[in-house]
Amino acid sequence: RTLATISAVAIGDWPSAVDNSLLRELVPDESGKPPQLSREVRGAHYVSVRPSVPAPAPRLVAYSSEVASSLGLSAETCESDEFLQFFAGKVPEAVPCWATSYGASFAGRYGGQRGDGRAISVGQVNGLEVQLKGAGTTPFSRRFDGRAVLRSSVREFLASEAMHHLGVPTTRALAVVASGDTVQRAWYDSQG
């Protein structure tokens, strides 16, 4: 599909712009257990879960105009407060959100269920799945806090763009949004 065939998407139109074919093809978790409860999810491919990380003072750190264009998002949209609030985790209730599970293999042996431990999907647009990474806990968080540190997020953003432009197939990041909240990590703490 060429970029010219992609219609412009305003954040307010997000619920009508998403396709979400994954949700029609995969089995949802219907266990009735809390969606943020760290657990193994049995008999399902995904869990409906809402972003839960507070963003008291969100700030747009960077965005990729190429990725935005592939999603039908203009520079004006990406620089709007509506975009900032949405990608800081204030997703309208009309937008389905989910986290998916997957299996892992370590040294040729099944490593147990893994999944989107801090990534919450907010839609499929033009065949691309859009996720909020660091948006909060999911059943796959393995008792971690579901958050992302800014330095790691910037590093991932830059590395994915570099890999893409070197011709290496990779995921791509639309934007990095700082929440305005502090995230503590013992392995980065000078006392730890």
Side-chain angles (χ1 to χ4, degrees), residues 5 15 25 27 39 41-42 49 64 71 74 94 104 106 112 116-117 128 152 154 160 165-166 168:
T5 64
E25 297 169 7
V27 177
R39 62 191 165 87
V41 175
R42 299 185 183 275
V49 60
S64 166
L71 296 171
S74 68
F106 301 104
D116 295 329
L128 302 171
S152 300
V154 169
S160 69
H165 288 284
L166 289 169
V168 178

Side-chain angles (χ1 to χ4, degrees), residues 12 23 37 41 51 88 96 101 116 119 137 141-142 147-148 158 172:
L23 300 185
L37 176 67
V41 175
S101 64
D116 295 329
T137 57
S141 296
R142 297 181 310 219
R147 303 182 80 159
L158 293 173
R172 303 217 25 221

Side-chain angles (χ1 to χ4, degrees), residues 28-88:
D29 173 50
E30 296 177 340
S31 68
K33 294 180 180 175
Q36 275 88 15
L37 176 67
S38 183
R39 62 191 165 87
E40 185 156 334
V41 175
R42 299 185 183 275
H45 298 111
Y46 73 91
V47 175
S48 294
V49 60
R50 308 291 305 169
S52 60
V53 169
R59 178 176 52 89
L60 181 63
V61 175
Y63 75 92
S64 166
S65 57
E66 285 182 21
V67 175
S69 181
S70 72
L71 296 171
L73 300 171
S74 68
E76 181 181 354
T77 297
C78 292
E79 294 166 7
S80 70
D81 187 61
E82 192 175 31
F83 177 92
L84 178 63
Q85 297 301 322
F86 185 96
F87 286 98

Side-chain angles (χ1 to χ4, degrees), residues 3 15 31 42 58 61-62 64-65 80 83 90 104-105 114 125 128 139 143 146 174 180 183-184 187 191:
L3 296 181
S31 68
R42 299 185 183 275
V61 175
S64 166
S65 57
S80 70
F83 177 92
K90 294 179 182 158
S105 174
R114 298 290 188 262
V125 178
L128 302 171
R143 296 185 179 78
L174 168 61
V183 176
Q184 297 288 328
W187 51 89
Q191 305 300 316

Side-chain angles (χ1 to χ4, degrees), residues 159-171:
S160 69
E161 285 301 284
M163 288 172 60
H164 170 75
H165 288 284
L166 289 169
V168 178
T170 185
T171 59

